[in-house]
Amino acid sequence: PDALRVELAAVRERGWGSALAAWQEHTNAVAVPVFASDGSAIAALSLTAPAFRMPPEQLPGLAAELREFAQELARRLGHLAPR
């Protein structure tokens, strides 16, 4: 439980989560939340690929791109960024 709390705190701070070979060997994933205008998470976007195509050092950049898509999705769903 303590390790999970530490990981969740890190995910909240950086704004994205990742999984390195967590569900399937040789597969990595990165995910970002889609926020409603009140700041609550209403969905998530994720990207999963073979580890050789998506190595850990690429995850921050991919997360940034996914975050842009998440913001656009929220906007299209009628959720404006919280003020």
Side-chain angles (χ1 to χ4, degrees), residues 23-51:
W23 293 292
Q24 186 174 356
E25 191 175 356
H26 309 296
T27 302
N28 292 337
V30 61
V32 300
V34 178
F35 290 111
S37 54
D38 66 1
S40 63
I42 57 170
L45 295 179
S46 67
L47 178 63
T48 303

Side-chain angles (χ1 to χ4, degrees), residues 3 7 11 13-14 19 24 28 30-31 36 38 46 48 50 52 67 70 72 74-75 77 80 82:
E7 177 63 21
V11 167
E13 185 171 321
R14 73 177 173 253
Q24 186 174 356
N28 292 337
V30 61
D38 66 1
S46 67
T48 303
F52 74 91
R67 191 174 303 129
E72 176 63 16
R75 187 189 66 74
L77 291 172
L80 302 176

